[in-house]
Amino acid sequence: MKLYYFDIAPNPTRVMCYIREKGIDIDTVNVSLIEGEQRSPEHLARNPAGELPVLELVEGHYLSESLSIMEYLEELYPRPVMIGATPMARAHTRSFERQVDLGVLLPVARIVHATRSPLGLPACPQVAEQEQSRLPAVLQRVDERIGAGPFAMGAAPTIVDCTLFAGLQFGEFFDFDAFRRYANISRWYDSFRERHQQ
Ligand SMILES: N[C@@H](CCC(=O)N[C@@H](CS)C(=O)NCC(=O)O)C(=O)O
């Protein structure tokens, strides 16, 4: 298997984070979003949407969508468990992951691209304003849910940590760190980042 990715970009980052947590040995190929390589014929053949990440399952057979990639890998490599050990735990983990993806990662990515897009997208203050106005309520709920942690779902890391971390790191990298106002998220973020710097 081979993962096509690009550093810092939030969706590839959450899959890379998951792979590191699992200790899976997968070849990686950098596709530069800055250079526009995602729109090359080679990459469009892997994913017609021109997005990352993409997992090459076997030669010439590709899987896109970060969550589907993590779900697939979880089936291949069930240990350590990162999507819950029981049907109920899996349901709660998936539900929280969706909330964090749609409520944090996506808005943060939109804010960054609407204000200082690393891909050179035109500034769009209305989009930034709209996303920024919605974010505090979500971050407040996430902060309460994380509580004393140590991980988003409690005692062990899950896909929720990977998605939340990738979104917040992308924001911080481009000077959008609104999450620092939330004590539990801020503490959790520093400790999870340290775990991934080792
Ligand atoms: N829903 C997709 C979103 C993938 C996505 O938007 N990837 C971004 C990087 S974070 C991308 O490749 N953007 C390239 C572009 O928009 O040209 C997923 O979860 O993997």
Side-chain angles (χ1 to χ4, degrees), residues 55-71:
L55 184 68
E56 186 172 27
L57 309 178
V58 290
E59 209 184 324
H61 199 94
Y62 301 101
L63 181 65
S64 59
E65 290 300 326
S66 309
L67 184 55
S68 308
I69 294 172
M70 294 190 288
E71 295 264 8

Side-chain angles (χ1 to χ4, degrees), residues 11-82:
N11 286 295
T13 297
R14 68 174 150 147
V15 174
M16 285 297 280
C17 172
Y18 172 87
I19 286 170
R20 276 197 303 269
E21 285 289 344
K22 294 291 259 192
I24 307 170
D25 190 20
I26 289 184
D27 290 339
T28 54
V29 179
N30 189 68
V31 176
S32 173
L33 296 181
I34 302 290
E35 304 291 327
E37 289 175 2
Q38 74 276 26
R39 293 186 293 273
S40 67
E42 293 79 19
H43 190 70
L44 291 173
R46 295 175 202 124
N47 179 5
E51 291 175 346
L52 294 169
V54 172
L55 184 68
E56 186 172 27
L57 309 178
V58 290
E59 209 184 324
H61 199 94
Y62 301 101
L63 181 65
S64 59
E65 290 300 326
S66 309
L67 184 55
S68 308
I69 294 172
M70 294 190 288
E71 295 264 8
Y72 176 68
L73 292 174
E74 189 78 4
E75 289 200 33
L76 292 185
Y77 305 93
R79 298 277 179 273
V81 172
M82 283 188 66

